[in-house]
Amino acid sequence: MRITSALAAAAIVALTAACGSGGGGGSSSSAPNEPVKINFLSLAWQKESIAANKQLVDEWNKANPNIQVTYVQGSWDNVNDQLVTQFAGGTAPDVIHNDSPALSGFATDGYLLDLKDKLPAELKSDIPQAAWDTVTFDGGKGEQGVYGVPFLQESQVIIANKKLLEASKVRIPTADNPWTWEEFSEAAKTMTKGDTFGVAWPMKSPVNKTLNLALNFGGTFFQTGADGKTTVKVGPEEREVLQRIHDQLYKDKSADPAALGQGTADPLPAFYKGKFALLPAGVFLRQQVAEQAPDGFEWVTLPGPKGTSAQQGAVSQTLSIAQDSKHPDEAMKFIAFFLNGPNQAKLAKGDWLLPTSQSAAADPAMTTQENGWDVATASAKNLVVAPFLKVNGFDEWKSKVATPVLQEFYANKITIDEAAKRLVDEGNKVLERYQR
């Protein structure tokens, strides 16, 4: 989920202008009898999502004349580089939109406020512990802290060509009774006929998808020893999903090889033409299908397959408070409003993602069958904290080791044993540098 570099460049200018007028997001300038001023950095980028964010800020400002929030548009493309500069200069915004993998480093460096003693009871109880786990870290103080409020998550589902699915006569999986991986593989083989493949796996960026699905079989890819050091692990559990996807490509020949090097949305034109029947993807891809599919094209959302469990790894979009904010209590009040149940439903709808709020998940907008919201929302119950979320050095391991190794494996250029050895040997060299 990224916006263009042109928008990103504009966002830097806007962000610096909006947030650069004094420490703590500029809110320290509030004089007596003047409203408290809070800057809110939002990374919303889709049209619907930006509109929902701005609407909620307007609602807050009208209802709270003594605490005024300024909406600041940021970009996923450069937010962490921008924040490093602003934190160092004491000009960071008060309320910061980010995702959970970014929080650990900022928390350890002392830039984010520990929220565990500031969370309103209603907000805390409305979000399940599995989501709170994605924002709970050792902030460098030797104890666990909560460094953000999680509010949007993504799960993996299967987007299916309804005509091809029904013609195959296979069992239609439901949220309560998803396909096993064996059933999924058999269904893909059944739907492979003539020029039509059963499934497509776009694996240009293979790491997060592979690691999140690996939890279906208990695969974590990382382990922490008694000495506190984390190492890479590729055992039987981690190999399960790797081998099953590889088998669909080269043994069953039920996966479209043309999709392999593509990005997540790139196979959609072929999908609309019936070149393949099933597309495993993040829930957000439903938006493009709903908005871009040709007239008459029928599609449905199916739950992801299950192995020994239906668990998937999750990261969260988050709202945090800068440690240097002059008005953390007011910032927390705004966050509690912004992320209450009805508002999370609006935000989730705008981003085509899953709310962490249990009351939002029960909202009729989140449970309608239209565009597969019922299946998507039900999949949230299977989300657990992604094991890689708390691994120092994961980003470098992902970019320098795992991405090229998995691309080569899925392209059938190396064996699963070679892939496992490189992920471990080369990966541990990377992680070692972060643990000295």
Side-chain angles (χ1 to χ4, degrees):
M1 294 183 288
R2 298 289 184 266
I3 61 176
T4 64
S5 55
L7 282 175
I12 291 179
V13 175
L15 191 57
T16 304
C19 302
S21 56
S27 56
S28 60
S29 59
S30 301
N33 303 320
E34 287 189 4
V36 168
K37 295 179 181 178
I38 291 171
N39 285 325
F40 164 42
L41 170 64
S42 170
L43 302 180
W45 65 279
Q46 300 193 82
K47 185 177 179 181
E48 288 179 70
S49 181
I50 291 173
N53 273 251
K54 288 184 174 180
Q55 177 193 346
L56 294 180
V57 170
D58 287 344
E59 283 182 23
W60 169 270
N61 285 337
K62 288 176 183 175
N64 297 273
N66 294 325
I67 307 173
Q68 292 292 285
V69 174
T70 299
Y71 179 93
V72 180
Q73 185 64 61
S75 162
W76 287 105
D77 286 340
N78 53 47
V79 62
N80 292 325
D81 290 339
Q82 186 72 25
L83 285 171
V84 167
T85 302
Q86 292 181 321
F87 282 136
T91 60
D94 301 272
V95 178
I96 300 164
H97 181 187
N98 211 321
D99 60 16
S100 47
L103 301 190
S104 179
F106 287 136
T108 300
D109 290 339
Y111 292 135
L112 297 179
L113 190 66
D114 182 357
L115 306 180
K116 69 175 180 290
D117 295 327
K118 290 186 175 293
L119 296 169
E122 185 176 358
L123 179 66
K124 187 175 181 180
S125 63
D126 190 32
I127 297 173
Q129 187 58 45
W132 288 115
D133 288 344
T134 67
V135 295
T136 302
F137 304 97
D138 182 343
K141 305 173 187 175
E143 61 181 40
Q144 297 290 300
V146 175
Y147 291 95
V149 179
F151 70 103
L152 293 177
Q153 295 183 322
E154 175 190 330
S155 67
Q156 296 289 316
V157 293
I158 300 171
I159 299 175
N161 179 314
K162 185 179 180 181
K163 181 179 178 181
L164 295 176
L165 177 68
E166 292 179 345
S168 72
K169 305 296 185 183
V170 301
R171 181 180 75 83
I172 308 296
T174 64
D176 293 328
N177 189 17
W179 280 331
T180 64
W181 270 87
E182 288 78 12
E183 287 180 293
F184 174 36
S185 295
E186 285 300 316
K189 285 195 286 186
T190 300
M191 294 181 214
T192 301
K193 293 180 180 178
D195 294 331
T196 299
F197 288 92
V199 65
W201 287 101
M203 286 293 190
K204 183 179 180 180
S205 300
V207 180
N208 282 31
K209 180 178 290 187
T210 300
L211 268 59
N212 287 334
L213 289 176
L215 281 169
N216 282 181
F217 296 93
T220 62
F221 280 90
F222 298 97
Q223 59 189 357
T224 301
D227 59 359
K229 286 195 172 184
T230 299
T231 54
V232 183
K233 175 175 77 79
V234 185
E237 299 90 348
E238 288 74 23
R239 291 178 181 229
E240 285 279 0
V241 164
L242 288 173
Q243 189 63 61
R244 289 168 189 269
I245 294 174
H246 193 275
D247 284 350
Q248 288 185 342
L249 284 159
Y250 303 105
K251 181 183 175 184
D252 302 341
K253 299 189 185 303
S254 60
D256 185 353
L260 192 58
Q262 296 181 332
T264 300
D266 294 338
L268 286 178
F271 180 56
Y272 302 146
K273 293 176 183 177
K275 297 293 186 182
F276 58 88
L278 306 171
L279 180 59
V283 289
F284 66 89
L285 193 64
R286 295 170 302 130
Q287 179 183 21
Q288 283 184 252
V289 179
E291 294 177 352
Q292 298 174 7
D295 290 343
F297 181 82
E298 292 185 287
W299 61 282
V300 293
T301 302
L302 307 177
K306 69 174 182 179
T308 52
S309 80
Q311 286 187 345
Q312 296 181 24
V315 298
S316 305
Q317 291 189 34
T318 59
L319 292 187
S320 300
I321 298 176
Q323 178 69 49
D324 287 345
S325 172
K326 299 297 189 293
H327 300 289
D329 293 337
E330 291 84 352
M332 189 71 251
K333 289 178 182 177
F334 169 69
I335 290 174
F337 160 79
F338 194 81
L339 299 184
N340 68 29
N343 290 343
Q344 272 206 44
K346 293 176 185 176
L347 295 169
K349 198 80 171 175
D351 255 329
W352 290 71
L353 292 172
L354 309 177
T356 58
S357 160
Q358 295 170 97
S359 56
D363 189 292
M366 295 288 101
T367 57
T368 176
Q369 293 183 7
E370 184 181 7
N371 295 325
W373 275 107
D374 55 340
V375 174
T377 299
S379 68
K381 69 179 182 294
N382 297 319
L383 295 177
V384 297
V385 61
F388 61 79
L389 191 62
K390 302 184 182 185
V391 175
N392 286 330
F394 170 76
D395 286 342
E396 185 178 343
W397 177 81
K398 174 182 173 180
S399 61
K400 293 185 178 179
V401 179
T403 295
V405 168
L406 291 178
Q407 285 174 337
E408 288 180 45
F409 170 69
Y410 288 130
N412 207 29
K413 293 179 179 178
I414 59 175
T415 67
I416 194 167
D417 289 337
E418 291 171 321
K421 180 174 172 54
R422 285 177 57 188
L423 288 170
V424 172
D425 292 350
E426 296 173 25
N428 284 338
K429 290 177 183 177
V430 170
L431 298 189
E432 179 66 27
R433 292 202 303 274
Y434 288 82
Q435 300 179 86
R436 288 171 182 161

